[in-house]
Amino acid sequence: MLKLHDIHTYYGRIHALKGVSIEVQDGTIVTLLGANGAGKTTMLRTISGIVPASAGKIEYDGKNIEKSPPQKIVQQGIAQSPEGRQVFTELTVLENLRMGTYPRKDKSEVNKDFDMIFNYFPRLKQRINQLAGTLSGGEQQMLAMGRALMSRPKILLLDEPSLGLAPLVVKEIFHIIQEINKRGVTVLLVEQNAYQALRIAHYGYVLETGRVVLQGTGDDLRRNDEIRHSYLGR
């Protein structure tokens, strides 16, 4: 469904991605692991067109998208829930969710998707008219994910959804990610919580300084001694 082939991305003179190649199969959860600065967020931003690749190819549903602008990429079915939530704090929960529908032309179907979002995240329905800036961290994460889902993506890019959240909320978020995937949305997940990520991922890649250094199924990576030592604390 999504293929990156020999992708190079720069921030100014900083060579952030150095020939990265990955594949994301339709209907799977794929996770990207690595230390801070490894290039995980850059990869998501490159796929989204926010930071353009300087070399290499990104193929989505058989089409090259590495030169497409971000809005076109969203319209084609790739949505991102960014690191740090980045909700619109001065807008209500409902207004934030409506922002996710911006690229859609089937406005008559939008109300059905509100029902879907409130099924995933009942707390958002309870706070529908509350300003997003007054929500808890966990609720803001749910709102960021809900906003991305309102564009009806085929692939959902999630950047550190568990960051700064209490363990019970983290467990809830990961359960919802699995439910979203079961309903047909492919997920590419960047996550510091390697244990939780590998528990739900079908496949994973490990990045170090802009390169893929290890890959395998979630189970294989969870059993890998190097991963257990570096990321799982075991």
Side-chain angles (χ1 to χ4, degrees), residues 134-182:
T134 66
L135 300 177
S136 69
E139 290 163 350
Q140 288 191 10
Q141 183 60 57
M142 294 173 188
L143 181 56
M145 290 169 63
R147 181 182 59 192
L149 287 169
M150 285 300 291
S151 70
R152 279 201 177 175
K154 296 177 183 176
I155 297 183
L156 179 62
L157 311 180
L158 292 175
D159 197 351
E160 301 287 6
S162 77
L163 188 66
L165 303 183
L168 280 176
V169 181
V170 170
K171 188 175 180 181
E172 184 179 359
I173 291 290
F174 275 89
H175 173 72
I176 293 166
I177 292 170
Q178 286 181 292
E179 288 301 308
I180 290 167
N181 178 247
K182 285 176 185 174

Side-chain angles (χ1 to χ4, degrees), residues 21 203-206 212-217 220-221:
S21 298
Y203 205 81
Y205 294 88
V206 180
V212 173
V213 295
L214 202 60
Q215 61 179 286
T217 67
D220 286 346
L221 291 178

Side-chain angles (χ1 to χ4, degrees), residues 3-16:
K3 291 182 181 181
L4 277 67
H5 178 69
D6 197 25
I7 288 293
H8 293 260
T9 303
Y10 287 81
Y11 286 112
R13 294 184 178 180
I14 298 172
H15 197 175

Side-chain angles (χ1 to χ4, degrees), residues 13-218:
R13 294 184 178 180
I14 298 172
H15 197 175
L17 295 181
K18 304 168 184 173
V20 168
S21 298
I22 72 165
E23 292 189 9
V24 179
Q25 299 293 330
D26 188 11
T28 62
I29 299 174
V30 174
T31 189
L32 303 175
L33 304 178
N36 287 335
K40 306 183 302 297
T41 293
T42 300
M43 191 186 299
L44 295 192
R45 289 168 65 86
T46 300
I47 294 167
S48 295
I50 298 167
V51 181
S54 59
K57 291 184 178 180
I58 302 174
E59 188 177 313
Y60 166 67
D61 262 355
K63 300 174 184 174
N64 287 350
I65 62 167
E66 67 274 0
K67 297 189 186 306
S68 298
Q71 66 272 21
K72 185 85 178 287
I73 290 171
V74 174
Q75 288 169 353
Q76 290 181 74
I78 300 177
Q80 183 168 347
S81 176
E83 183 181 7
R85 287 70 128 169
Q86 296 187 32
V87 297
F88 299 101
T89 57
E90 298 301 316
L91 299 182
T92 66
V93 167
L94 179 61
E95 289 166 336
N96 269 270
L97 292 174
R98 284 199 182 281
M99 292 296 284
T101 71
Y102 179 76
R104 291 176 55 174
K105 295 182 170 55
D106 59 336
K107 300 301 181 183
S108 61
E109 296 290 306
V110 165
N111 286 337
K112 293 180 183 178
D113 288 348
F114 279 122
D115 292 337
M116 172 192 69
I117 297 302
F118 295 142
N119 185 50
Y120 286 138
F121 309 110
R123 272 183 274 178
L124 295 184
K125 188 172 186 178
Q126 295 167 11
R127 291 158 174 73
I128 191 167
N129 293 314
Q130 193 169 321
L131 292 180
T134 66
L135 300 177
S136 69
E139 290 163 350
Q140 288 191 10
Q141 183 60 57
M142 294 173 188
L143 181 56
M145 290 169 63
R147 181 182 59 192
L149 287 169
M150 285 300 291
S151 70
R152 279 201 177 175
K154 296 177 183 176
I155 297 183
L156 179 62
L157 311 180
L158 292 175
D159 197 351
E160 301 287 6
S162 77
L163 188 66
L165 303 183
L168 280 176
V169 181
V170 170
K171 188 175 180 181
E172 184 179 359
I173 291 290
F174 275 89
H175 173 72
I176 293 166
I177 292 170
Q178 286 181 292
E179 288 301 308
I180 290 167
N181 178 247
K182 285 176 185 174
R183 295 197 184 191
V185 179
T186 302
V187 177
L188 181 57
L189 170 67
V190 163
E191 183 51 62
Q192 289 276 353
N193 189 330
Y195 174 76
Q196 290 284 8
L198 292 175
R199 189 179 61 81
I200 68 169
H202 300 99
Y203 205 81
Y205 294 88
V206 180
L207 271 68
E208 285 184 9
T209 59
R211 292 185 173 90
V212 173
V213 295
L214 202 60
Q215 61 179 286
T217 67

